[in-house]
Amino acid sequence: PDLITVQELANRMAARAGEVVKALFRMGVMATITQSIDADTAELVATEFGHRVRRVSESDVEQGLEGEVDTEENLEPRPPVVTIMGHVDHGKTSLLDALRKTDVAGREAGGITQHIGAYMIQIPSGDRVTFIDTPGHEAFTAMRARGASVTDMVVLVVAADDGVMPQTIEAIKHAQAANVPMIVAVNKIDKPGVNLDRVRNELLQHEVVVESLGGDTQEIQVSALKGTNLDKLLEAIILQAEVLDLKANPNRAAEGTVIESKLDKGRGPVATVLVQKGTLNQGDIVVAGAEWGRVRAIIDDMGIPLTGAEPSEPVEILGLTGVPSAGETFVAVEDETRAREITEFRQRKAREKVAAAAGAARGTLNDMLA
Ligand code: GTP
Ligand code: MG
């Protein structure tokens, strides 16, 4: 069987080996960092850390789920997806709120405008940008890791008066591990006595070299509170997006990632999804993680109902039979039969994994007692 050492798994996730050992312990598996664990257990751990696992050999049922391969002619430019990361209270949400006010699309809020963790704005040049917020507390490490896997770039928010803090470092590690470019937004520059050189040197210690120190990481000084330099930050994002030359094929079955989900009293399961390929249409049959459903409604971040959503658009979808987990992928499939087949397979796999992990725990305990 496929085996991986705890240390190697930790390396691949850019996580501390000790944290992986702890996660295994919580699952009832005793292992030291030099020991090997099987692929199913490794996948469970990786999922818990917020990573998506792609095995080399998948079952027949999963085959074809990736859909057709896009050729260069099929690809069209798409807006960048930007994740805002940084330490608790450094101003991520304030910055997102301030950026949202710069939206020139002129959309009036529709029905229920609620805070969803992702939205798209149009800037005066006509370019559009999608932003994703990530919670700042340590418990949400997994969510942040997922943020980095759907994102084209990270805006690292560092409060000028506080500097680089533990979750700033974590965010840097995630971005580096995911090989995603970073833009530094030094926030709260309205505060008296801030020392920008200190922040730059602290970043340097983590291999983030800003342009003023001769590196290639753009650094923008902002104040979310006063709305200072938001235009410069948006320019930096567009510049970075041009370098990345982001494209997707909008003319195919939709694929994307679940960003958030919840069970709404009136509306049933609601998932905020990011479309990454193709166009999601009302009436599509989708599989999201181990759930499926017919898309009854597509709602944008202003609460406005849409008939379809294209690559890089974050939308809420209604009509799923259950609540998928954040970080899971969704895909539009041809019919209900196929959707049931895939979800039943996935649910069975999930049950088997839990049983296998429990079995492994018993084995290890027996070994220890022997
Ligand atoms: P978490 O989501 O809890 O991680 O926090 P956050 O990073 O989203 O920070 P948030 O936007 O909630 O801001 C934290 C505090 O900093 C709030 O009291 C804000 O008013 C304040 N704040 C945010 N931006 C600025 C700024 O540019 N200047 C000043 N002076 N205060 C700011
Ligand atoms: Mg916040």
Side-chain angles (χ1 to χ4, degrees):
D2 293 337
L3 294 173
I4 185 170
T5 66
V6 172
Q7 181 68 61
E8 174 61 19
L9 178 63
N11 291 350
R12 290 199 199 168
M13 299 191 300
R16 279 189 292 273
E19 293 301 318
V20 177
V21 170
K22 271 193 232 161
L24 282 163
F25 186 80
R26 282 196 300 272
M27 287 162 45
V29 180
M30 323 290 160
T32 63
I33 59 172
T34 53
Q35 274 174 348
S36 295
I37 54 175
D38 64 52
D40 284 331
T41 310
E43 186 168 344
L44 264 183
V45 174
T47 308
E48 200 167 298
F49 276 74
H51 294 281
R52 227 183 306 157
V53 176
R54 184 152 300 154
R55 299 265 190 105
V56 184
S57 62
E58 284 281 19
S59 147
D60 289 348
V61 183
E62 294 277 22
Q63 264 168 29
L65 248 191
E66 291 294 313
E68 66 264 42
V69 179
D70 293 315
T71 59
E72 191 60 39
E73 308 86 84
N74 293 335
L75 299 177
E76 292 176 23
R78 63 169 180 84
V81 178
V82 181
T83 301
I84 308 283
M85 292 186 174
H87 196 70
V88 183
D89 278 352
H90 279 200
K92 298 175 294 294
T93 304
S94 303
L95 186 60
L96 276 158
D97 289 347
L99 287 164
R100 192 170 200 183
K101 293 199 188 103
T102 68
D103 190 353
V104 296
R107 295 170 297 164
E108 294 283 321
I112 332 140
T113 323
Q114 42 202 342
H115 179 80
I116 68 171
Y119 65 81
M120 182 180 244
I121 63 165
Q122 193 178 332
I123 65 177
S125 63
D127 292 305
R128 293 178 305 160
V129 182
T130 295
F131 287 101
I132 300 178
D133 192 6
T134 57
H137 301 284
E138 208 127 14
F140 293 114
T141 303
M143 272 278 290
R144 274 209 304 279
R146 284 182 185 131
S149 72
V150 298
T151 197
D152 298 310
M153 67 185 89
V154 165
V155 167
L156 183 70
V157 178
V158 188
D161 58 338
D162 206 21
V164 171
M165 297 300 282
Q167 283 151 18
T168 319
I169 299 168
E170 258 179 65
I172 293 170
K173 283 192 184 146
H174 283 311
Q176 287 169 340
N179 205 12
V180 171
M182 201 156 45
I183 295 171
V184 175
V186 181
N187 190 31
K188 308 198 187 185
I189 54 154
D190 57 283
K191 287 203 166 183
V194 297
N195 183 348
L196 295 172
D197 283 330
R198 199 195 90 203
V199 176
R200 290 176 188 138
N201 281 312
E202 286 171 355
L203 288 167
L204 189 60
Q205 285 166 27
H206 300 280
E207 281 141 60
V208 179
V209 192
V210 296
E211 284 174 335
S212 61
L213 293 184
D216 53 13
T217 302
Q218 300 187 80
E219 175 215 297
I220 316 292
Q221 295 156 25
V222 298
S223 166
L225 194 71
K226 308 258 184 214
T228 315
N229 289 343
L230 300 180
D231 51 344
K232 289 202 178 129
L233 180 58
L234 289 167
E235 267 170 42
I237 289 167
I238 297 300
L239 185 68
Q240 183 65 67
E242 275 164 14
V243 172
L244 294 172
D245 191 26
L246 304 166
K247 287 178 176 166
N249 176 6
N251 303 307
R252 56 173 286 166
E255 274 181 37
T257 301
V258 177
I259 297 174
E260 294 179 334
S261 57
K262 61 174 182 229
L263 189 60
D264 187 285
K265 259 193 179 162
R267 302 186 296 163
V270 180
T272 302
V273 301
L274 177 75
V275 179
Q276 293 172 293
K277 289 179 182 174
T279 298
L280 182 66
N281 294 301
Q282 205 182 349
D284 279 355
I285 307 276
V286 296
V287 172
E291 307 297 339
W292 72 278
R294 181 183 292 275
V295 178
R296 194 169 79 229
I298 301 176
I299 303 155
D300 78 2
D301 52 70
M302 297 290 285
I304 301 169
L306 307 174
T307 53
E310 295 199 342
S312 299
E313 278 192 64
V315 288
E316 275 190 345
I317 58 170
L318 308 186
L320 292 173
T321 49
V323 181
S325 304
E328 281 180 316
T329 52
F330 78 88
V331 55
V333 296
E334 58 268 45
D335 55 33
E336 262 186 52
T337 316
R338 182 95 182 112
R340 281 181 203 279
E341 194 180 39
I342 295 163
T343 46
E344 272 162 26
F345 170 78
R346 287 184 175 174
Q347 283 164 4
R348 193 172 67 241
K349 282 275 280 195
R351 281 195 300 273
E352 279 168 12
K353 264 178 230 160
V354 172
R362 271 195 305 280
T364 329
L365 275 172
N366 286 342
D367 291 349
M368 285 175 75
L369 294 172

